[in-house]
C-alpha cells in the first residue's frame, strides 16, 4: 500500500479538535471562536452530525443541517472540517457539503458491510478518510477497513486510535492497548495515526496524560473533544472540556519528542542500554525454556501416578507469591497476571504433550 499523508504542512502533533456532536449553530460557532481566542492550533475541526449511540432514545445527531454550521466554521475561521459517516447517504451528504476529511467511527469499522458501503460511495472521489479502530481489539479488522478504502482508490487514509471496549469497570472508557496502534504502523508504515484521547479516557482527568503518552510513542496527532459548556453537552459530556481549558491545560503542555537523535554520545548510550536489554531477553527466554523442562518432568511424574495436569490450589499459590514479589519492584498486577497466565498455559501445553504421549503408547 502506498498511502499519501493527509496532514502535510503542519507541525506535530496534528490536532483534531471540536465538539463530540454539533448541537446548535451557536454551539458549533462558539466552539470555533473559543478555539481561536485560545490560540489553539486546529488542523481539523470535528463535530459529529450523525451519532451512533449505544442505546436508543439518546440524542442521535442533528443530521445534514449541521453540515451547514461546519461550513460556516470553515468560512469564518479557516479551519478544515471533518465529520463521521457510516452509510451511503451520510457519505453523499458530506461530499455535497465538501467536508474536507471524513471519518469512520469505531462502530462502523467493526462491520465490513458498512465499511464497504462507504467505500463504494467514495469510488472515484479521492477525499481523505480517517479510520477509527474497531470497538474490539482486532488489528485485522482495522487493517481490513483501511484496505477496503484503498481498494476503491482512496490514497489519503489515516487512522484514529480511540481505544478498545472492555467489559466491566476500568480506569479508561476504552483501554488504549497501544501495541495494536503500533502494530498498525508496523504494517502500514506510511499511515498517520491520531490518538483520540477523549474516547480512550471517557473523563477529563487523564486527557493530558494519554495525549502525552501518545506523543512519547511518536503517534502523529491527537483528537480531543471540546465544548463551550461541557457539562451541558448533549453527548459525551463527561469527557469534554472548554477550548480554553484544552489549550491551557493540555495542548500547550504537550512535549513533542524528536523521532531520532544523531548525537554520537546519545547513540552510544542508547546502544549500550539496548544491548543490556537484548541480553536480558536472551536470559528470560532461557529461563522460560528451563521452566518448561521442569514442567515436562512434572508432567511425566503426574502421568506415572495418573494425576490431573491442572491443580487449582497450586496455580493460586503461584499467582499470589508472584504478586507479592512483583509489587515492591514496581511491576503492575495486570502485567504479572498476563505474563503468568501465558507461562502457565505454555506449561500446561507442555505437560499435555507428555500426557498425550502416554495415550499414544497405550
Ligand atoms: C466520536 O468521535 O464522537 C465517536 C462516536 O467516536 P467512536 O466512533 O470512537 O466511538
Ligand atoms: Mn464523542
Amino acid at each position: 500500500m502506498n498511502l499519501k499523508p493527509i496532514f502535510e504542512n503542519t507541525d506535530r502533533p496534528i490536532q483534531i479538535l471540536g465538539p463530540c456532536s454539533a448541537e446548535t449553530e451557536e454551539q458549533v460557532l462558539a466552539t470555533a471562536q473559543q478555539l481561536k481566542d485560545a490560540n489553539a492550533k486546529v488542523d481539523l475541526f470535528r463535530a459529529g452530525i450523525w451519532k451512533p449511540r449505544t442505546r436508543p432514545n439518546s440524542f442521535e445527531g442533528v443530521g445534514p443541517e449541521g453540515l451547514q454550521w461546519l461550513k460556516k466554521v470553515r468560512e469564518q475561521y479557516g479551519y478544515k472540517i471533518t465529520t463521521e459517516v457510516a452509510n451511503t447517504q451520510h457519505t453523499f451528504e458530506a461530499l455535497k457539503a465538501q467536508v474536507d476529511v471524513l471519518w469512520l467511527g469505531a462502530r462502523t469499522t467493526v462491520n465490513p458491510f458498512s465499511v464497504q458501503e462507504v467505500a463504494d460511495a467514495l469510488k472515484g472521489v479521492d477525499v481523505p478518510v480517517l479510520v477509527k479502530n474497531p470497538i474490539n481489539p482486532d488489528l485485522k479488522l482495522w487493517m481490513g477497513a483501511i484496505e477496503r478504502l484503498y481498494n476503491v482508490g482512496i490514497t489519503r487514509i489515516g487512522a484514529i486510535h480511540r481505544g478498545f471496549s472492555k467489559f466491566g469497570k476500568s480506569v479508561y472508557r476504552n483501554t488504549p492497548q497501544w501495541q495494536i496502534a503500533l502494530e498498525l504502523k508496523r504494517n502500514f508504515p506510511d499511515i498517520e495515526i491520531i490518538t483520540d484521547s477523549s474516547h480512550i479516557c471517557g473523563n477529563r482527568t487523564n486527557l493530558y496524560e494519554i495525549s502525552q503518552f501518545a506523543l512519547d510513542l511518536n503517534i502523529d496527532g491527537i483528537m480531543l473533544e471540546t465544548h463551550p459548556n461541557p457539562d451541558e453537552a448533549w453527548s459525551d459530556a463527561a469527557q469534554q472540556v472548554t477550548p480554553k481549558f484544552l489549550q491551557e491545560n493540555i495542548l500547550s503542555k504537550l512535549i513533542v519528542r524528536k523521532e531520532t537523535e544523531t548525537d554520537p554520545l546519545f547513540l552510544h548510550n542508547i546502544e549500550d542500554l539496548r544491548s543490556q536489554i537484548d541480553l536480558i531477553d536472551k536470559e528470560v527466554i532461557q529461563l522460560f525454556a528451563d521452566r518448561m523442562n521442569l514442567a515436562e518432568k512434572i508432567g511425566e511424574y503426574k502421568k506415572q501416578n495418573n494425576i490431573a495436569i491442572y491443580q487449582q490450589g497450586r496455580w493460586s499459590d503461584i499467582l499470589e507469591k508472584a504478586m507479592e514479589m512483583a509489587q515492591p519492584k514496581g511491576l503492575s498486577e495486570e502485567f504479572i497476571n498476563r505474563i503468568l497466565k501465558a507461562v502457565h498455559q505454555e506449561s500446561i501445553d507442555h505437560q499435555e504433550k507428555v500426557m498425550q504421549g502416554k495415550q499414544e503408547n497405550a
Side-chain angles (χ1 to χ4, degrees):
M1 231 176 355
N2 195 357
L3 295 175
K4 290 195 210 129
I6 300 178
F7 306 91
E8 267 179 302
N9 304 312
T10 179
D11 296 335
R12 291 312 190 238
I14 296 158
Q15 296 183 173
I16 306 180
L17 314 175
C20 176
S21 304
E23 298 164 4
T24 62
E25 180 172 338
E26 293 68 38
Q27 168 253 1
V28 170
L29 292 175
T31 310
Q33 179 65 46
Q34 291 178 26
L35 281 168
K36 185 176 171 225
D37 292 344
N39 249 325
K41 176 172 88 91
V42 183
D43 294 303
L44 258 184
F45 184 91
R46 65 150 284 155
I49 304 295
W50 299 281
K51 300 301 297 177
R53 305 308 299 279
T54 305
R55 303 187 66 187
N57 306 322
S58 311
F59 167 63
E60 295 194 316
V62 292
E65 187 189 5
L67 293 169
Q68 301 314 313
W69 310 336
L70 281 176
K71 280 173 83 173
K72 280 198 181 161
V73 167
R74 182 170 49 202
E75 280 157 27
Q76 294 179 19
Y77 297 92
Y79 298 154
K80 289 196 167 138
I81 53 175
T82 183
T83 201
E84 171 176 352
V85 295
N87 61 30
T88 308
Q89 184 229 337
H90 297 166
T91 310
F92 285 158
E93 296 278 4
L95 290 176
K96 205 165 69 187
Q98 293 175 306
V99 169
D100 298 284
V101 176
L102 307 179
W103 96 70
L104 293 188
R107 292 160 192 79
T108 304
T109 308
V110 88
N111 182 349
F113 287 136
S114 304
V115 175
Q116 195 57 50
E117 181 179 328
V118 172
D120 288 340
L122 288 174
K123 230 173 240 167
V125 199
D126 195 7
V127 67
V129 186
L130 292 163
V131 181
K132 286 205 175 196
N133 65 253
I135 294 186
N136 53 325
D138 186 338
L139 173 68
K140 296 234 168 82
L141 210 43
W142 200 2
M143 289 171 60
I146 292 164
E147 285 160 347
R148 281 175 199 279
L149 292 165
Y150 189 74
N151 289 346
V152 298
I154 308 282
T155 57
R156 287 169 295 165
I157 307 174
I160 301 177
H161 163 230
R162 49 78 82 195
F164 301 87
S165 171
K166 182 170 175 248
F167 181 70
K169 269 203 178 314
S170 137
V171 191
Y172 301 114
R173 178 177 174 189
N174 294 293
T175 51
Q177 305 223 42
W178 297 98
Q179 74 280 12
I180 300 180
L182 299 178
E183 266 301 291
L184 184 78
K185 187 90 181 175
R186 202 174 61 77
N187 280 278
F188 300 145
D190 303 334
I191 206 161
E192 288 163 318
I193 302 190
I194 312 284
T195 289
D196 173 350
S197 313
S198 300
H199 289 90
I200 289 178
C201 291
N203 63 47
R204 295 165 195 163
T205 358
N206 302 313
L207 292 172
Y208 169 75
E209 186 191 311
I210 285 289
S211 304
Q212 182 60 58
F213 196 77
L215 299 192
D216 293 345
L217 290 179
N218 210 19
I219 298 273
D220 300 283
I222 41 179
M223 178 184 247
L224 283 154
E225 290 183 340
T226 179
H227 190 288
N229 193 356
D231 288 334
E232 302 300 319
W234 297 0
S235 60
D236 288 351
Q239 70 197 29
Q240 300 202 64
V241 293
T242 62
K244 186 170 188 291
F245 183 93
L246 181 64
Q247 177 60 24
E248 288 177 5
N249 296 289
I250 302 173
L251 299 175
S252 67
K253 300 213 161 114
L254 293 172
I255 300 163
V256 186
R257 318 273 181 213
K258 284 182 275 183
E259 191 176 348
T260 49
E261 176 59 81
T262 47
D263 171 44
L265 182 63
F266 170 85
L267 290 175
H268 173 81
N269 287 341
I270 276 279
E271 263 321 301
D272 189 38
L273 291 169
R274 282 187 177 148
S275 57
Q276 289 183 49
I277 285 196
D278 289 349
L279 205 65
I280 290 181
D281 283 351
K282 208 169 147 191
E283 284 170 15
V284 167
I285 303 249
Q286 186 54 52
L287 288 172
F288 281 146
D290 293 349
R291 193 189 194 282
M292 295 312 149
N293 279 335
L294 287 173
E296 281 171 20
K297 280 203 182 118
I298 292 182
E300 196 62 52
Y301 202 59
K302 283 182 184 161
K303 180 172 94 172
Q304 282 161 15
N305 292 280
N306 212 19
I307 307 270
I309 293 178
Y310 180 64
Q311 308 280 324
Q312 174 65 40
R314 168 76 181 141
W315 171 231
S316 312
D317 222 38
I318 292 181
L319 260 184
E320 212 171 287
K321 273 196 210 136
M323 293 295 179
E324 263 170 39
M325 286 190 286
Q327 206 215 10
K329 296 187 192 301
L331 298 168
S332 76
E333 213 168 282
E334 198 203 339
F335 169 70
I336 294 299
N337 224 320
R338 265 198 279 160
I339 280 272
L340 277 190
K341 272 194 188 139
V343 169
H344 187 228
Q345 183 60 52
E346 184 74 8
S347 294
I348 289 180
D349 292 350
H350 280 252
Q351 293 195 6
E352 180 68 14
K353 268 191 209 135
V354 174
M355 290 281 187
Q356 301 267 334
K358 176 190 170 184
Q359 280 167 2
E360 276 159 25
N361 298 337

